[in-house]
């Protein structure tokens, strides 16, 4: 029996599209507020704020490694998604409480919930396609568009409510939409059929000391929350934490790879190559959630036709907004090129991603050179983001697809977790880069004086991104060879 499709894509893609869209509304809506909330409301100094933001962002993308592994071996994708959604809902609602303790605890719940939700809903998308299905990359591009519709709306609305009305109302709005995403998935999951069910129900229900393995997973994940809060209060030790986890992740992948026959081993090494390079991409890209938030507030002219737009809303709307606009083009482009046997290999797409990002940051830097008033134009700010997001579309949805294509079936979710851990490493490095752009309190309200703190680092990011892109393109024939028959 032929499976029903909508617009040539499996109909279940649209269930996952909407569930992820509303979850990303909540996630990015909350994230849009963090750095500004810490600096303006909690009165943390900028280096401390960047350190906490880096720790949060790193942990929120580290937990998917654990969540992916537990889903692969015990829970299955669907139970992991629902449990993760419940934890994230609790986290958003805790953040909405105007209490001193709620900030770190709310973020800790979101971190643990995201670990279960994020890798497993992406892995579910991969189950919709057979091996070498030409619709896979375009399907992931459409799924990625759903992520960014949610992110655009969340950044716009939560950013406005938080900055202009009340910070905690902004956090609460994010929680409402997290509930909506959870409801969409819970109601529609039956359409997935056998996909995402527990791989071994007997192992999941096995009891030890009167408690099933499933219950043990839930209890253990809750015990992680106070540990995460402790890490926030000692965020300096994240340097060692990330280094150890990174070494463990790479060692694990290589250990698994060298237990396989040559073709499978080479595919896994190809995936690892692109995952490692993605760390640098996210370190540059994630300035949008940190330093570029404050840059937008201080050094971008937000006036349009005599009206001053809220900087947080604009900065957090532009990246996902551009993704939504350009996703249709890229989804069409990859399919059009594939039909003509002209589609670039995945590593070539990764190289293009860095080159486009370099152009985007160069636009920011050139705008700074011409900002005599200390304010760059909103047009230049938007154009810089356009190139950066074109780069993102050559890497992020392609990376999601790449992981599902190159990983052995038994390792898909854990490799998806490692893909997100690379994002964690990038987010952590993004906090380090953001610290380099910290503006002394004495000149934070002086646009001319604050601009040079940003301009120099923006130029250096452009140069580093261009070098990385050139290196990846140079090595792409070798990586393509490792990929074997995978297209």
């Amino acid at each position: 029996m032929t499976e029903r499709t909508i617009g040539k894509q499996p109909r279940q893609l649209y269930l996952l599209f909407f569930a992820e869209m509303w979850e990303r509304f909540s996630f990015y809506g909350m994230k849009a507020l963090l750095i500004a909330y810490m600096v303006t409301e909690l009165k943390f100094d900028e280096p401390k704020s960047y350190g906490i933001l880096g720790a949060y962002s790193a942990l929120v993308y580290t937990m998917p490694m654990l969540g992916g592994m537990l889903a692969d071996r015990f829970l299955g994708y669907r139970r992991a998604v629902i449990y993760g959604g419940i934890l994230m809902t609790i986290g958003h609602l805790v953040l909405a409480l105007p209490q001193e303790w709620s900030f770190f605890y709310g973020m800790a719940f979101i971190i643990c919930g995201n670990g279960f939700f994020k890798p497993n809903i992406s892995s579910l998308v991969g189950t919709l396609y057979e091996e070498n299905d030409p619709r896979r990359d375009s399907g992931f591009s459409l799924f990625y568009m759903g992520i960014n519709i949610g992110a655009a709306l969340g950044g716009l609305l939560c950013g406005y409510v938080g900055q202009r009305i009340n910070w905690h109302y902004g956090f609460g709005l994010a929680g409402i939409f997290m509930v909506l995403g959870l409801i969409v998935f819970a109601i529609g999951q039956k359409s997935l059929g056998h996909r995402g069910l527990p791989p071994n129900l007997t192992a999941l229900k096995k009891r030890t000391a009167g408690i099933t393995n499933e219950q043990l997973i839930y209890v253990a994940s809750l015990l992680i929350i106070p540990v995460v809060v402790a890490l926030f209060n000692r965020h300096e030790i994240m340097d060692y934490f990330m280094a150890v986890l990174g070494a463990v992740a790479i060692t694990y992948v290589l250990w698994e790879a060298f237990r396989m026959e040559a073709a499978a081993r080479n595919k896994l090494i190809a995936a690892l190559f692109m995952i490692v390079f993605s760390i640098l991409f996210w370190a540059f890209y994630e300035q949008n959630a940190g330093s570029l938030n404050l840059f937008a507030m201080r050094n971008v002219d937000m006036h349009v036709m005599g009206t001053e737009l809220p900087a947080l809303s604009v900065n957090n709307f532009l990246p996902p907004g551009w993704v939504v606009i350009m996703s249709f083009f890229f989804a069409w482009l990859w399919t059009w090129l594939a039909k003509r046997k002209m589609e670039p290999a995945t590593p070539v797409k990764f190289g293009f991603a860095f080159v486009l990002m370099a152009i985007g940051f160069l636009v920011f830097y050139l705008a700074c050179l011409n900002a005599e008033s200390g304010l760059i134009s909103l047009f230049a700010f938007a154009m810089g983001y356009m190139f950066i997001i074109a780069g993102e579309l050559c890497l992020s949805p392609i990376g999601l697809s790449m992981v599902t294509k190159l990983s052995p079936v038994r390792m898909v979710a854990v490799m998806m977790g490692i893909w997100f851990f690379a994002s964690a490493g990038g987010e952590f490095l993004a906090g380090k880069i953001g610290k380099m752009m910290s503006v002394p309190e004495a000149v934070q309200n002086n646009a001319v004086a604050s601009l040079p703190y940003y301009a120099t680092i923006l130029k250096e990011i452009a140069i580093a991104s261009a070098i990385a892109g050139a290196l990846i393109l140079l090595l792409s024939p070798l990586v393509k060879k490792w990929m074997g028959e995978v297209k």
Side-chain angles (χ1 to χ4, degrees):
M1 179 179 175
T2 303
E3 190 161 55
R4 292 171 56 191
T5 62
I6 300 176
K8 297 184 179 180
Q9 291 290 345
R11 63 189 177 94
Q12 294 91 342
L13 177 64
Y14 298 93
L15 162 69
L16 303 177
F17 176 103
F18 283 107
E20 178 76 338
M21 182 179 79
W22 294 124
E23 183 272 333
R24 291 290 96 178
F25 177 107
S26 69
F27 180 83
Y28 283 104
M30 178 277 292
K31 192 175 180 182
L33 304 177
L34 289 183
I35 191 75
Y37 176 73
M38 286 188 282
V39 171
T40 63
E41 186 73 10
L42 298 180
K43 304 301 181 184
F44 294 167
D45 61 44
E46 284 195 25
K48 178 179 179 179
S49 298
Y50 283 123
I52 293 172
L53 178 64
Y56 166 76
S57 301
L59 289 168
V60 86
Y61 283 107
T62 297
M63 285 298 292
M65 274 202 305
L66 178 60
M69 187 178 297
L70 291 172
D72 271 340
R73 298 188 179 184
F74 296 102
L75 292 176
Y77 302 148
R78 284 154 63 172
R79 292 188 189 209
V81 166
I82 290 175
Y83 179 59
I86 291 170
L87 289 182
M88 293 179 77
T89 298
I90 294 170
H92 287 296
L93 297 179
V94 168
L95 275 173
L97 300 174
Q99 303 291 327
E100 184 176 346
W101 60 267
S102 68
F103 184 62
F104 285 163
Y105 273 92
M107 289 195 295
F109 270 101
I110 291 170
I111 285 166
C112 291
N114 187 73
F116 287 95
F117 190 101
K118 186 62 179 169
N120 295 304
I121 196 163
S122 298
S123 295
L124 274 171
V125 176
T127 68
L128 303 180
Y129 303 96
E130 299 294 333
E131 187 175 353
N132 282 331
D133 189 327
R135 302 174 300 166
R136 184 185 290 260
D137 276 5
S138 60
F140 269 99
S141 290
L142 290 172
F143 178 70
Y144 200 67
M145 184 182 68
I147 290 173
N148 284 279
I149 291 174
L153 293 174
L156 184 68
L157 297 178
C158 296
Y160 176 83
V161 171
Q163 187 179 4
R164 292 287 177 87
I165 301 175
N166 183 285
W167 294 107
H168 294 284
Y169 291 171
F171 291 133
L173 181 62
I176 291 171
F177 281 90
M178 183 65 240
V179 173
L180 181 57
L182 189 58
I183 291 172
V184 167
F185 183 82
I187 291 175
Q189 65 171 320
K190 287 184 180 179
S191 69
L192 294 167
H194 65 279
R195 300 180 182 93
L197 294 175
N200 187 336
L201 199 58
T202 302
L204 185 65
K205 297 301 181 183
K206 181 180 178 181
R207 289 183 175 272
T208 304
I211 186 171
T212 66
N213 283 335
E214 181 175 12
Q215 292 167 339
L216 182 62
I217 289 169
Y218 299 150
V219 171
S221 65
L222 293 176
L223 294 176
I224 292 174
I225 288 171
V227 176
V228 172
V229 172
L231 281 173
F232 283 138
N233 286 301
R234 296 289 185 272
H235 60 86
E236 300 85 358
I237 70 173
M238 283 295 296
D239 289 7
Y240 308 102
F241 181 77
M242 293 301 294
V244 170
L245 277 183
V248 169
I250 291 173
T251 301
Y252 169 75
V253 174
L254 292 175
W255 181 73
E256 288 283 2
F258 283 97
R259 296 169 62 209
M260 301 173 183
E261 49 87 20
R265 177 175 66 244
N266 289 339
K267 289 176 188 176
L268 209 53
I269 291 173
L272 184 62
F273 172 88
M274 288 179 276
I275 287 171
V276 169
F277 263 100
S278 73
I279 296 172
L280 189 61
F281 184 90
W282 296 122
F284 299 153
Y285 177 88
E286 286 299 335
Q287 296 308 308
N288 77 296
S291 62
L292 290 179
N293 255 332
L294 299 181
F295 179 65
M297 293 170 68
R298 294 165 179 160
N299 295 101
V300 179
D301 185 354
M302 288 290 168
H303 289 87
V304 175
M305 300 177 64
T307 300
E308 183 178 9
L309 303 178
L312 285 184
S313 291
V314 171
N315 182 63
N316 289 281
F317 174 80
L318 279 174
W322 276 122
V323 172
V324 173
I325 292 169
M326 292 191 287
S327 280
F328 285 109
F329 169 74
F330 277 92
W332 166 83
L333 177 65
W334 302 138
T335 304
W336 186 85
L337 290 172
K339 288 179 180 177
R340 289 156 180 80
K341 302 188 184 303
M342 296 168 56
E343 184 179 10
T346 299
V348 175
K349 292 176 183 177
F350 271 53
F352 288 161
F354 278 91
V355 172
L356 289 164
M357 172 169 281
I359 295 171
F361 276 96
L362 182 62
V363 170
F364 289 157
Y365 173 66
L366 294 176
C368 290
L369 293 183
N370 293 284
E372 295 182 1
S373 65
L375 299 177
I376 74 169
S377 72
L378 183 55
F379 176 78
F381 193 57
M383 288 301 99
Y385 264 130
M386 182 187 74
F387 285 105
I388 291 170
I389 298 312
E392 181 189 1
L393 286 169
C394 289
L395 183 139
S396 191
I398 306 306
L400 292 173
S401 179
M402 175 270 295
V403 169
T404 65
K405 287 189 288 188
L406 295 176
S407 304
V409 173
R410 67 181 178 82
M411 288 181 64
V412 170
V414 71
M415 286 300 292
M416 192 66 73
I418 291 173
W419 167 258
F420 288 118
F421 176 67
S423 299
E427 297 263 12
F428 184 65
L429 290 177
K432 300 288 188 185
I433 295 170
K435 284 184 180 181
M436 297 178 191
M437 288 188 265
S438 294
V439 177
E441 188 174 352
V443 297
Q444 286 177 0
N445 296 319
N446 184 328
V448 173
S450 65
L451 188 64
Y453 289 90
Y454 296 103
T456 301
I457 307 302
L458 294 173
K459 178 183 70 173
E460 291 176 355
I461 290 174
I463 293 170
S465 187
I467 292 171
L471 182 59
I472 295 171
L473 291 173
L474 183 65
L475 295 174
S476 61
L478 175 61
V479 181
K480 185 178 178 182
K481 183 178 178 180
W482 289 340
M483 292 171 66
E485 79 283 358
V486 174
K487 298 180 181 179

